Amino acid sequence: MTLAPTSPGAATTGTVLAPEELPDVPARVLDPAELEALVTDLAGRPEAWAEHARHDTGGRHYVSLFRDAHVDVWLLCWNTVDDTGWHDHDTSSGAVAVTRGAVTESKPRLGGEAEERTAVAGASFSFGPDHIHRMVGAVDGSVSIHAYSPPLWRMGQYSISDDGVMRRWSVSYADELRPLD
Ligand SMILES: [Fe+2]
């Protein structure tokens, strides 16, 4: 997920981490398990990114930690008002490691209640490009590390109407994800 800073309070687009601060990864598109290993490694080294976490900007706060031809890595800060809305990651696989607090991930189920799980600090998960989800902060002051491969470029943002009709809009990774419904 998600997104360069276009909103007030969002952080820099600059890359925070030097390549040597990332764990050794192959110079190619990474699969979900490799991405999960990457975010888990970074989650265990808060000295590399913790100074960039903020929850007092009045909007969603996210920082691009790293981006090259094969992978991009983001720091996301969550309060309970923060909600990505339904989205996909186009051709990218992704992984999330929660480092503080908790985030709730939901997957839409047509004609039924969404499948929901809450990942707490220390938990991680990953997904392929077929994945559609929505993430919200479950606890104010939560922090998570995300990685995507290939790097995010286009994404799909969805609305689901009250009667269950789903629509997809293609958006740039530089657009802030938000609920459309
Ligand atoms: Fe996402």
Side-chain angles (χ1 to χ4, degrees):
M1 157 205 68
T2 343
L3 352 203
T6 53
S7 67
T12 68
T13 49
T15 288
V16 167
L17 299 176
E20 57 271 22
E21 292 182 274
L22 289 186
D24 267 338
V25 293
R28 56 162 170 75
V29 170
L30 304 178
D31 67 27
E34 291 169 328
L35 290 167
E36 191 164 348
L38 189 161
V39 293
T40 300
D41 178 280
L42 278 175
R45 293 190 286 119
E47 65 277 8
W49 47 262
E51 67 183 288
H52 300 284
R54 289 187 62 187
H55 296 85
D56 60 353
T57 58
R60 292 192 49 211
H61 183 74
Y62 33 84
V63 179
S64 172
L65 293 179
F66 184 80
R67 186 177 181 99
D68 70 8
H70 303 295
V71 65
D72 63 338
V73 183
W74 295 82
L75 171 71
L76 273 71
C77 300
W78 304 87
N79 290 318
T80 54
V81 296
D82 295 323
D83 182 348
T84 63
W86 302 111
H87 65 276
D88 66 40
H89 315 84
D90 202 24
T91 63
S92 300
S93 296
V96 178
V98 181
T99 67
R100 188 194 308 165
V103 296
T104 297
E105 183 200 35
S106 302
K107 290 181 274 185
R109 178 183 285 126
L110 297 183
E113 290 297 307
E115 181 182 323
E116 191 176 290
R117 63 175 168 180
T118 295
V120 302
S124 62
F125 60 91
S126 59
F127 47 83
D130 57 334
H131 198 68
I132 301 171
H133 71 175
R134 173 179 207 153
M135 294 186 64
V136 301
V139 178
D140 283 338
S142 298
V143 176
S144 54
I145 305 283
H146 299 230
Y148 304 91
S149 184
L152 292 177
W153 187 246
R154 302 299 301 180
M155 302 176 72
Q157 178 97 64
Y158 296 82
S159 67
I160 304 177
S161 69
D162 288 343
D163 58 357
V165 175
M166 197 168 191
R167 292 184 172 84
R168 181 186 193 270
W169 280 265
S170 178
V171 298
S172 164
Y173 82 99
D175 294 328
E176 180 174 350
L177 293 179
R178 65 196 187 285
L180 296 181
D181 48 359

